[in-house]
Amino acid sequence: MEFYVLVIAVTWLVFILIVRFMNYPSGGTDHACYYRLTTYIKNNHHRLFMRFNDYIPLSLYPQGYFVICSFLSKKTLLHNPNFINYVVMFSVVIILNAFVCLISDFSYIQIILINSIFITLPIMYAVWNAKFMGLSARAFGIFLVYLYLFSFYFYLIGESGLIAFLLIIIFSFLCLLSSQFAFQFVIFSCIFVALVTFHFEVLLLIPLDIVLLFAVNFSYAKNFFTSQFHHKRNYLKFMIKGCHFQLRYSIWRDFVYDFWKKQDKAYVLGNPVVEVIIGAMPNCIVLVYFPFSEMLNDYHTYTLYVLLATSFFAFWITSLRIGRFLGEPQRYIEFGIPFASILSVMVFPSWLVVIFLFVNIFVLWWYAKNSQHHRQLPEHIKIREELIRYVNSIFNLEFCHLLSNDNEIARYFYVSNYDPHVPNYCRYYQNEEEFLWSYYKGDYHRISPQFLASEMKKYKKGILILYTNMLKFYDESEILPLIDAMHIEHLRTIGKFKIFKFYKEKEL
């Protein structure tokens, strides 16, 4: 027991050191959105929240995790949110070692190697991964999926069948309640396990979880699934062509065409398949080698392999053009990390696992040195922070409505007392023209003058922030012809941002 306590403590400390070494950018628009959602839940007596204004499209996010966060102080949520993620990762390390202890009699060296491979796998720390950059349900979702998959293992090998199945239902339901990303994986894993193991009863998990959510809170479930349906429909029909497909037509076509045509190093390294090969090399090696190993005939070990393969199945489905609206495929590989770490030790000699460990460390170092292209330039961050400070300093409840032609800037103000107005992408739109009316030249980062003018006339008073980089955005001359009796008063210019106060001319 003392040995496991020491291993857990050291593994967690190594994790903290890696996160600090990676020097992640702080916060972001996702953090701001989750902070606002958590605040709503906190003010609703820590209950699920459903009364969203149309201009605050937060109804598609699962709220279970944020109900837990709502019991923390606003100061912690705003200024030290990674404390929550560190606690979650400590819990992950505990359940990993509990699982390792239960499934086999590993030696001390093997346990150390399993923990070492697990905690240093580079893809866990990729800069695009939002787990350690503020409030995020992603780390908690991974924790729940690990509990779900560990329970799945015991169910598949026939130990404690009924209890294991009940645990699977509980943990998959918590995934539905807490993390969109996690529950999408639950769906993929049920399909894959049913097809591979012929345990078709696991397909009942998905409808059982949905029915259970409706039984727990019918209004919330109806609102949540309606928002999810509209968001997925809008993304698939109207957004993905101008978003993912424009930047990368096909993840798999890259290897036969686009790599050779573009000859761009950043483009090659940004391909999800390449990212997985570099960032999760042990997973890939185990996936390919295991079918040829002697361990294939051991059902317990084979079951571990099936659970590892579920992460690659989810990756494959979401890497296809038809599945790319479900999110970045490389993120699903994280769900297989525990099984890749365990199988590495079971299948390969210790000296080779040590080589895997050194490769992981090298890639982590490479990530830290070469990931700046994922971040904004320091001068841009400085200007944005000055903008936010100034706008917060002039807050007046009478002018609480905040508009901007920059979607990202508007969303940053979710951490303030303002009510940012952005297009609602989780409601029904009849066609692409109606959907794109809210966006400037079809770019979802730029809000159209028509949308801003409509909101100004509807809410009468507020603050308007215009990003006037004329190469991509526009200035007030595009809005003035659309606002009739509205008046806009210039307050200040910060960098390329112009701040205005708007109101009806007769009122002031």
Side-chain angles (χ1 to χ4, degrees):
M1 178 60 72
E2 292 83 1
F3 172 76
Y4 274 105
V5 171
L6 180 62
V7 167
I8 290 169
V10 171
T11 302
W12 186 65
L13 288 174
V14 170
F15 156 75
I16 297 292
L17 289 174
I18 294 173
V19 171
R20 297 294 177 87
F21 177 71
M22 294 302 293
N23 190 29
Y24 293 109
S26 59
T29 55
D30 286 346
H31 166 76
C33 290
Y34 298 144
Y35 175 81
R36 176 59 64 97
L37 179 56
T38 305
T39 302
Y40 286 155
I41 295 170
K42 180 188 284 287
N43 295 338
N44 196 40
H45 308 291
H46 311 287
R47 296 172 185 168
L48 299 173
F49 187 84
M50 288 162 277
R51 301 184 304 276
F52 295 99
N53 291 311
D54 186 61
Y55 54 80
I56 298 185
L58 301 180
S59 57
L60 82 159
Y61 296 113
Q63 296 183 23
Y65 172 69
F66 302 110
V67 169
I68 298 172
C69 292
S70 71
F71 288 93
L72 300 173
S73 69
K74 289 186 177 181
K75 183 178 180 181
T76 299
L77 295 172
L78 192 57
H79 300 294
N80 195 22
N82 276 335
F83 167 78
I84 309 167
N85 297 324
Y86 295 163
V87 172
V88 171
M89 282 304 297
F90 183 69
S91 303
V92 166
V93 175
I94 290 174
I95 63 170
L96 169 69
N97 282 277
F99 182 67
V100 168
C101 180
L102 290 171
I103 65 173
S104 186
D105 187 21
F106 291 105
S107 70
Y108 287 169
I109 294 297
Q110 287 178 316
I111 292 170
I112 292 171
L113 288 175
I114 289 170
N115 279 270
S116 299
I117 293 296
F118 174 82
I119 210 65
T120 61
L121 204 76
I123 204 165
M124 189 187 301
Y125 304 96
V127 174
W128 43 256
N129 199 326
K131 291 199 307 293
F132 312 121
M133 295 176 358
L135 274 177
S136 172
R138 197 172 297 276
F140 188 67
I142 288 172
F143 170 69
L144 291 176
V145 168
Y146 287 167
L147 288 170
Y148 158 80
L149 290 175
F150 294 162
S151 302
F152 229 136
Y153 170 83
F154 292 111
Y155 177 73
L156 292 175
I157 66 172
E159 292 186 10
S160 308
L162 180 58
I163 295 175
F165 193 74
L166 288 174
L167 288 173
I168 292 171
I169 294 174
I170 292 170
F171 293 133
S172 60
F173 172 72
L174 291 175
C175 287
L176 172 60
L177 189 60
S178 302
S179 172
Q180 180 181 194
F181 170 61
F183 191 70
Q184 286 177 183
F185 177 78
V186 167
I187 296 173
F188 293 134
S189 64
C190 286
I191 295 170
F192 182 78
V193 170
L195 292 174
V196 172
T197 67
F198 301 106
H199 282 274
F200 293 105
E201 71 277 6
V202 302
L203 293 174
L204 293 172
L205 285 171
I206 302 165
L208 278 174
D209 289 333
I210 294 172
V211 169
L212 186 56
L213 187 60
F214 274 99
V216 169
N217 192 319
F218 183 86
S219 298
Y220 168 79
K222 180 183 177 182
N223 193 38
F224 171 72
F225 284 115
T226 301
S227 298
Q228 280 287 324
F229 172 78
H230 289 320
H231 175 255
K232 296 294 187 290
R233 175 183 175 272
N234 293 337
Y235 205 95
L236 181 62
K237 292 190 68 174
F238 310 137
M239 296 178 71
I240 198 166
K241 291 180 182 178
C243 187
H244 291 307
F245 291 169
Q246 194 173 56
L247 296 174
R248 191 180 302 275
Y249 180 82
S250 168
I251 291 169
W252 299 101
R253 195 184 79 168
D254 279 351
F255 291 91
V256 296
Y257 179 71
D258 292 293
F259 284 168
W260 321 109
K261 181 182 178 181
K262 295 179 182 293
Q263 296 186 359
D264 184 338
K265 179 182 176 182
Y267 182 83
V268 172
L269 293 175
N271 179 283
V273 177
V274 175
E275 288 193 316
V276 169
I277 293 172
I278 295 173
M281 191 175 295
N283 298 46
C284 299
I285 293 174
V286 171
L287 181 78
V288 174
Y289 178 78
F290 183 83
F292 304 99
S293 73
E294 296 178 356
M295 303 294 291
L296 181 64
N297 297 319
D298 181 85
Y299 186 69
H300 287 200
T301 312
Y302 171 74
T303 302
L304 293 172
Y305 179 74
V306 168
L307 296 176
L308 166 65
T310 58
S311 64
F312 282 91
F313 175 74
F315 170 83
W316 175 67
I317 292 294
T318 53
S319 70
L320 302 175
R321 278 172 63 87
I322 191 64
R324 284 173 67 187
F325 73 99
L326 294 172
E328 296 90 339
Q330 61 271 38
R331 295 184 175 185
Y332 291 95
I333 295 300
E334 280 195 76
F335 296 126
I337 295 176
F339 309 104
S341 304
I342 294 168
L343 288 170
S344 295
V345 168
M346 299 178 76
V347 173
F348 299 115
S350 296
W351 63 266
L352 186 55
V353 179
V354 172
I355 291 177
F356 290 166
L357 176 60
F358 278 108
V359 171
N360 285 352
I361 294 170
F362 173 78
V363 175
L364 284 171
W365 174 84
W366 181 81
Y367 273 5
K369 299 297 181 183
N370 296 277
S371 61
Q372 292 298 332
H373 64 276
H374 291 284
R375 307 176 188 178
Q376 294 180 315
L377 295 173
E379 56 267 27
H380 292 172
I381 296 174
K382 184 178 179 181
I383 291 172
R384 186 186 69 218
E385 290 176 347
E386 183 182 350
L387 169 71
I388 293 171
R389 277 196 306 270
Y390 171 73
V391 175
N392 282 335
S393 72
I394 62 170
F395 176 76
N396 183 333
L397 188 60
E398 191 177 2
F399 290 83
C400 65
H401 298 285
L402 184 139
L403 303 169
S404 176
N405 61 348
D406 187 329
N407 203 344
E408 296 296 298
I409 286 296
R411 284 155 54 93
Y412 269 109
F413 282 91
Y414 280 133
V415 300
S416 71
N417 292 319
Y418 286 97
D419 282 335
H421 290 231
V422 297
N424 189 342
Y425 43 77
C426 53
R427 69 172 179 85
Y428 176 78
Y429 292 90
Q430 186 173 354
N431 51 47
E432 187 174 17
E433 182 181 357
E434 182 184 2
F435 180 81
L436 293 179
W437 178 85
S438 300
Y439 299 99
Y440 186 59
K441 296 183 178 179
D443 187 332
Y444 313 114
H445 297 97
R446 300 181 287 177
I447 298 176
S448 70
Q450 293 85 357
F451 176 86
L452 296 181
S454 173
E455 295 295 294
M456 290 167 69
K457 287 188 283 189
K458 184 176 181 180
Y459 291 95
K460 314 299 183 187
K461 297 179 182 179
I463 298 296
L464 173 66
I465 302 172
L466 295 180
Y467 183 42
T468 57
N469 180 345
M470 302 307 288
L471 293 176
K472 293 185 176 181
F473 289 81
Y474 54 87
D475 61 16
E476 65 274 20
S477 63
E478 296 274 349
I479 300 175
L480 287 172
L482 306 174
I483 58 176
D484 301 327
M486 300 296 296
H487 179 74
I488 61 173
E489 175 186 334
H490 181 245
L491 301 177
R492 187 172 174 181
T493 298
I494 299 175
K496 291 187 177 181
F497 292 99
K498 285 186 176 182
I499 304 102
F500 300 88
K501 178 190 293 185
F502 68 86
Y503 48 87
K504 290 193 72 173
E505 290 183 345
K506 295 180 181 180
E507 296 186 12
L508 289 181

